[in-house]
Amino acid sequence: MRQRFQKTFLITGKNDQPSNFGSQEALEKFTSILGLRSFVSKTNEIPVDSRKAFRPQDRQVRQLKEIEDNVQWLLRDSDQERNNFFLYKVMPAFADRSWSGKPYHPYYSPDSFIEKAKSYRKYFREEILGKFDDAYLPFNARTRKIYDKERWTGYEVVLDVYKDLFATGILLIPKDLKLGEKRPVVVCQHGRNDVPRRLVEGEIYYYNDVAAKLADQGFVVYIPQNPYRGEDRYRWLSRKANTIKKTLFSFIVSQHEQTISWLGSLPFVDKSRIAFYGLSYGGETAMRVPAVLEGYCLSICSGDFGDWSRKVVDTHQPASYMHSIEWEMPYFNMGSTFSYAEMSYLIFPRPFMVERGHDDRVQPDEWVAYEYAKVKFVYDKFNLGDKTEIQFFNGGHSMRLEGTFQFLHKHLQWP
């Protein structure tokens, strides 16, 4: 128990049976804490409110409004809170944004930034996402062939992660692999309520057969199944996980860490060139998982990047999670520690890209551009601006494939 932290008491009834709310045992304990020797019930009559003009419903609305106003003010200051928590601690020189008129050298060495960010990566994983400390099981990979196309073969894959937790997906292997050759891998991540097959076939608007097209171009491709499927069923898992300081991404990160290790063990894979490309909830994954797992050499966030704190708590914006069914999105104290810019600082200096359709209703363009400006600032300050890009396009919530494919070819050096 922490020093100066209040004591806690477990109250039970006779024979250690559970007590009801407001039980005699609980009230007696409570009054003893207040300094009273005993609690004696004076009457069995329930008190009646004799006020004639009082409406408890109105008071409840006022209390709720006070809470809402407080949160909106916290949101307004959250940018500075996050900068003070992370960026200005790791790179104090960035805290002075005033113009002095004096000449200065615009670039800094990234070495100190990268080294100091390691403790923030640990904090993000353990304190925000939640980390399991269980040892990983052997892969015990099970596969079966499900595709046989002109340029590639596809396999369903199942891997063991922990007892009662497994990872599954689809692996596409080009047919023109030469003996001893090692190719880059692109891990393509689906969105909410989806399955890997829809990134391979069917010409689904959101995905445009991204996995098949990458395999046609000679990449090894892996499409994992993430657990955000079944609407509130996966949210039940998230809620249960919160009780032990975990989140849905505690499971997802473990699955991906095991998957990266397995992909790196394949004889035709270059484990130093495993990239991540995700849309929607897969774009959310593209921010959190590569921020934690350095085994992903680059990340592309599609259809999800923006001002995360506003997305979660802004009550004035219709696209906010305050107006949606996705009640699992808040993370404890995340608004004061990490939004998407801060997650990109954990990905830095690896290449990072944002793909954004002007008509995507997930967030407004101005939120996306505002948050990305912070990313570009950091990469530019370290003279690494060519490692990050944003592509805006006319369209909605989808993988457009054009600029992202060029980005993958450039940074994965393929072909």
Side-chain angles (χ1 to χ4, degrees), residues 344-391:
S344 78
Y345 303 159
L346 298 179
I347 294 172
F348 176 88
R350 290 166 285 165
F352 173 70
M353 182 177 181
V354 173
E355 186 177 37
R356 161 72 190 179
H358 286 303
D359 302 317
D360 193 332
R361 296 182 181 180
V362 169
Q363 293 199 34
D365 271 356
E366 55 268 30
W367 288 14
V368 177
Y370 171 78
E371 193 73 8
Y372 181 75
K374 303 179 209 174
V375 180
K376 184 65 171 170
F377 169 80
V378 168
Y379 276 78
D380 279 347
K381 278 296 186 180
F382 293 115
N383 203 21
L384 295 172
D386 62 334
K387 284 192 170 187
T388 184
E389 297 179 22
I390 186 169
Q391 182 193 24

Side-chain angles (χ1 to χ4, degrees), residues 17 93 218:
Q17 292 300 306

Side-chain angles (χ1 to χ4, degrees), residues 6-287:
Q6 70 265 26
K7 294 181 179 180
T8 57
F9 303 92
L10 178 63
I11 305 300
T12 60
K14 294 181 179 179
N15 299 321
D16 289 334
Q17 292 300 306
S19 296
N20 294 325
F21 178 80
S23 68
Q24 184 79 13
E25 296 85 0
L27 290 173
E28 287 179 352
K29 185 53 145 181
F30 179 68
T31 54
S32 71
I33 295 172
L34 297 177
L36 302 176
R37 293 184 178 180
S38 64
F39 173 83
V40 180
S41 179
K42 300 296 184 183
T43 177
N44 292 325
E45 295 182 7
I46 299 176
V48 177
D49 191 342
S50 60
R51 293 173 292 182
K52 298 187 182 303
F54 176 71
R55 282 175 49 84
Q57 300 91 333
D58 294 341
R59 181 176 65 180
Q60 186 176 29
V61 170
R62 291 195 303 271
Q63 290 174 328
L64 180 62
K65 184 61 178 173
E66 287 175 359
I67 295 171
E68 178 189 341
D69 290 345
N70 180 62
V71 171
Q72 299 311 299
W73 274 106
L74 292 173
L75 171 63
R76 188 172 181 174
D77 294 335
S78 63
D79 277 322
Q80 191 63 30
E81 288 291 321
R82 292 191 297 274
N83 282 338
N84 291 334
F85 169 76
F86 187 170
L87 185 63
Y88 297 163
K89 290 279 194 349
V90 174
M91 196 68 186
F94 289 171
D96 184 8
R97 304 294 288 273
S98 62
W99 183 75
S100 64
K102 298 178 182 179
Y104 66 97
H105 194 284
Y107 305 131
Y108 302 90
S109 167
D111 297 342
S112 176
F113 185 99
I114 295 167
E115 183 62 31
K116 290 179 180 178
K118 290 179 180 178
S119 64
Y120 287 87
R121 182 176 294 111
K122 182 175 184 292
Y123 183 96
F124 180 60
R125 182 171 188 179
E126 295 179 358
E127 300 298 324
I128 304 299
L129 301 184
K131 180 179 182 295
F132 289 117
D133 295 321
D134 305 61
Y136 290 116
L137 297 173
F139 303 132
N140 188 27
R142 288 87 78 196
T143 64
R144 66 173 181 175
K145 183 159 62 170
I146 57 172
Y147 294 111
D148 190 359
K149 302 295 184 179
E150 179 183 354
R151 297 183 181 179
W152 46 268
T153 307
Y155 299 86
E156 278 188 335
V157 179
V158 179
L159 307 173
D160 289 339
V161 181
Y162 305 130
K163 184 179 182 296
D164 299 324
L165 179 65
F166 59 90
T168 184
I170 295 176
L171 178 68
L172 308 183
I173 305 174
K175 290 184 175 180
D176 63 347
L177 276 166
K178 297 178 176 60
L179 185 64
E181 182 184 10
K182 291 183 179 291
R183 295 254 181 115
V185 180
V186 182
V187 174
C188 297
Q189 190 64 71
H190 62 79
R192 191 181 92 220
N193 274 333
D194 243 322
V195 293
R197 281 179 177 266
R198 283 165 54 91
L199 282 73
V200 182
E201 58 181 285
E203 298 182 353
I204 308 300
Y205 166 76
Y206 303 112
Y207 306 119
N208 292 305
D209 294 347
V210 58
K213 290 174 181 175
L214 285 168
D216 283 342
Q217 295 183 18
F219 291 101
V220 176
V221 181
Y222 188 72
I223 315 104
Q225 175 71 64
N226 264 5
Y228 38 71
R229 181 167 169 78
E231 286 301 358
D232 274 4
R233 292 191 65 83
Y234 74 79
R235 295 189 179 101
W236 298 344
L237 176 62
S238 179
R239 182 171 60 184
K240 291 177 181 179
N242 290 165
T243 65
I244 56 170
K245 197 180 173 182
K246 304 294 185 290
T247 68
L248 191 65
F249 274 92
S250 305
F251 303 95
I252 293 173
V253 170
S254 294
Q255 289 173 317
H256 278 263
E257 191 162 31
Q258 184 79 325
T259 297
I260 291 173
S261 297
W262 175 73
L263 287 170
S265 72
L266 300 177
F268 50 85
V269 165
D270 182 349
K271 65 180 180 180
S272 68
R273 292 187 291 168
I274 302 177
F276 195 100
Y277 182 12
L279 171 73
S280 194
Y281 220 132
E284 188 174 327
T285 309
M287 296 306 304

